[in-house]
Amino acid sequence: MEGSVALAVYPATVLDRLTDRGLRESLAYLDPDAVLVERPRHGARLAAVGSDRRVLRLTDLPTGVVAGASGPQLACLSTPRGFETLAGQERRGDLDAASETYVLSDALAVDVDLTALETTLEGRAAYEEALDGAAIDGSYTHLTTNADPGYRNDWDGLAVAGVWPGASETSASPPARIAALRLYGDGTVASDTYDPGRFGLEGLDGVGPTRAATLREAGYATKAAVAASDPGELQRCEGIGATTERTIRYSAKARSEGVVYRTSAERLPGNDPVFVDIETDGLSPTMIWLIGVYDSRTEEYRSFLATDPNARGRAVSAFAEWYATRASGRPLVAYNGERFDFPHLHEHVTRHCPEYAATWRDAWTFDLLWWASTEGNAVLPGATNALDDVAGALGWESAGTGLSGAVVGQRFRRWLADPSRATELDWARHERYCEDDVRALAYVYEAVRDAEPIAGVARSDGPRDAATTTTQGTLGDFE
């Protein structure tokens, strides 16, 4: 598996909200090599819950390498003058110049002028002067606590990425979120943010801060304790009626036991579904370059891959032809497809191969996540509803490609901007990554289909007439 360094960022607002159990659960889930907090007392809090991760405090960042032995490394600077220290570590071999080094500091700040629509990098002149003076040989990416996770820009050769939720007035990440960054040896930075309410009792459906406190006061301190409660028992707690109790109990049971529970008699589509996943160049894609398909009828997997940036519709056209001639009328199943896969497939089919537009307008689409979670037909296990979390909780063994959606997207965009030997992707590895996602989706689908219904729910799964539409509609609804 590809080497990386994991950094987790816990703002004070997050630590104020998390209980000790929730904090331990979040650390176990994120499994960071280093944790960045604001003040010494926050570091002491992590030590008090038994964390053995390297703790970095924003108020007094150390200078030098703090995580990573070989491959990518994470270093800190208290001031830009600390580059001289890093240069010395590089000369001694303590810092691996052959891989990427990530330098964390508060010396740079991204400032966005919404009136002039201009962005400036404050502190840049002094920072670059210190960097040039140190004459460091390796490749460096510069992490700033004064920009939001997901921020990334190349300032004339100075690669800058943000780490701190809510660092900007234009931030997409609220300050009360945990940031998780994974730092790779080629300069790729994959970042996610998490609501702290996903951990501890608040991670249960129907439970917020107030209800979590009520449960703890009644003696239910963990998800497992809630899961072990007898039917009707939680109704002794103030504000919890029969319906809410059922929601909370089965959410706890699903997460504690690693199983799916069906909460309605709504049927899944029959008729040999086709499972699909797409890889694109971004959230508003100009190119769908890889489409993975698992055919449940033949139990065969196939991929449609486009490696030519001048043939942006090649993968979509090949996939649309296959579906029209080999699987038309059968349900297409995706995970979060309602928000991403299906509308983008429809747009790109219409643009690149309009001869198949009519087939796509009539396509029967089914979003398993939407059906289970948004519509409330099933309770899924996993710390989050992300496909890899749910599949892993159910026992799916990942192919271990070391890739993630964020990493794949970043690397493809880099290659698309400069198709060359230096930026070219390991196409076979990326195909394995997509295949793993598609097969994991089929695995979760089967678990949902075969799930135990809760009391009072009669499961009714069976083939439906192909003309029947789901409540999600068809691709034509996205026009």
Side-chain angles (χ1 to χ4, degrees):
M1 183 178 290
E2 183 176 357
S4 61
V5 174
L7 172 67
V9 181
Y10 283 75
T13 49
V14 167
L15 291 172
D16 289 343
R17 179 177 174 182
L18 280 171
T19 64
D20 286 350
R21 290 182 186 276
L23 179 55
R24 279 194 291 268
E25 186 179 320
S26 69
L27 289 167
Y29 172 75
L30 298 173
D31 193 22
D33 298 294
V35 179
L36 177 62
V37 297
E38 293 188 47
R39 301 183 182 281
R41 64 183 176 87
H42 299 139
R45 169 93 188 278
L46 265 69
V49 300
S51 172
D52 58 356
R53 276 81 174 177
R54 175 67 186 270
V55 176
L56 308 173
R57 296 182 296 273
L58 186 60
T59 52
D60 57 342
L61 288 173
T63 292
V65 176
V66 296
S70 60
Q73 292 176 290
L74 174 63
C76 293
L77 291 180
S78 56
T79 70
R81 293 190 299 272
F83 275 116
E84 291 291 348
T85 300
L86 296 187
Q89 291 183 320
E90 189 180 86
R91 288 191 294 270
R92 292 193 303 272
D94 297 332
L95 193 154
D96 184 7
S99 188
E100 193 75 6
T101 297
Y102 293 84
V103 182
L104 175 67
S105 77
D106 65 354
L108 298 170
V110 178
D111 181 66
V112 180
D113 187 331
L114 296 178
T115 302
L117 297 179
E118 293 180 347
T119 302
T120 57
L121 186 62
E122 297 179 356
R124 178 181 176 183
Y127 194 90
E128 289 187 319
E129 181 180 357
L131 177 60
D132 293 342
I136 293 179
D137 294 328
S139 179
Y140 288 78
T141 296
H142 306 274
L143 306 178
T144 174
T145 60
N146 296 307
D148 198 59
Y151 173 83
R152 172 83 187 213
N153 193 39
D154 191 317
W155 293 81
D156 299 323
L158 188 74
V160 179
V163 304
W164 198 273
S168 168
E169 292 181 0
T170 60
S171 170
S173 300
R177 291 182 75 88
I178 306 166
L181 297 94
R182 191 161 288 276
L183 316 172
Y184 291 87
D186 67 346
T188 301
V189 180
S191 62
D192 289 295
T193 62
Y194 296 88
D195 182 349
R198 293 298 307 181
F199 306 102
L201 290 179
E202 289 183 50
L204 299 176
D205 297 339
V207 178
T210 300
R211 189 160 283 157
T214 299
L215 290 169
R216 284 192 293 270
E217 290 170 2
Y220 304 100
T222 65
K223 292 184 176 75
V226 175
S229 64
D230 293 328
E233 189 177 321
L234 298 181
Q235 294 181 49
R236 301 170 187 167
C237 299
E238 183 179 356
I240 298 180
T243 300
T244 301
E245 184 210 26
R246 189 176 76 166
T247 298
I248 294 172
R249 280 189 69 247
Y250 280 96
S251 176
K253 287 170 70 67
R255 287 161 175 76
S256 297
E257 300 168 6
V259 298
V260 176
Y261 282 97
R262 293 285 294 274
T263 54
S264 82
E266 180 71 18
R267 296 184 299 175
L268 292 165
N271 302 344
D272 303 322
V274 175
F275 300 94
V276 62
D277 184 50
I278 67 174
E279 302 300 336
T280 73
D281 62 341
L283 296 178
S284 299
T286 65
M287 183 174 181
I288 298 176
W289 58 275
L290 177 58
I291 304 173
V293 172
Y294 176 72
D295 187 335
S296 65
R297 178 177 294 174
T298 63
E299 298 185 347
E300 293 178 344
Y301 175 85
R302 67 182 65 223
S303 65
F304 302 89
L305 174 68
T307 62
D308 182 353
N310 297 314
R312 298 200 172 206
R314 180 171 294 171
V316 171
S317 297
F319 173 51
E321 179 184 10
W322 176 84
Y323 180 74
T325 59
R326 303 288 296 276
S328 179
R330 293 164 58 196
L332 283 165
V333 179
Y335 201 84
N336 200 32
E338 191 77 359
R339 293 185 177 181
F340 192 76
D341 303 71
F342 297 144
H344 292 310
L345 276 170
H346 180 65
E347 177 189 349
H348 285 248
V349 166
T350 304
R351 180 192 309 169
H352 296 293
C353 46
E355 64 271 26
Y356 297 114
T359 301
W360 281 104
R361 279 194 296 271
D362 295 333
W364 178 6
T365 62
F366 184 85
D367 181 346
L368 181 60
L369 175 61
W370 181 91
W371 181 90
S373 182
T374 305
E375 288 297 293
N377 291 304
V379 181
L380 304 174
T384 74
N385 279 335
L387 177 60
D388 53 351
D389 280 352
V390 175
L394 290 169
W396 174 254
E397 294 185 7
S398 170
T401 61
L403 297 174
S404 68
V407 171
V408 168
Q410 282 189 46
R411 291 179 178 175
F412 184 80
R413 287 193 296 274
R414 182 172 59 192
W415 176 82
L416 195 62
D418 175 30
S420 64
R421 186 180 297 275
T423 61
E424 187 165 13
L425 283 68
D426 180 342
W427 301 110
R429 181 184 178 200
H430 284 72
E431 285 186 286
R432 290 196 302 274
Y433 163 76
C434 187
E435 178 177 358
D436 189 51
D437 266 4
V438 176
R439 290 186 180 276
L441 167 59
Y443 182 85
V444 173
Y445 180 93
E446 291 174 0
V448 173
R449 181 195 63 200
D450 300 335
E452 183 72 20
I454 67 175
V457 173
R459 186 178 65 238
S460 178
D461 285 325
R464 287 191 284 180
D465 187 279
T468 302
T469 59
T470 69
T471 54
Q472 299 170 71
T474 65
L475 286 171
D477 294 330
F478 294 110
E479 292 185 316

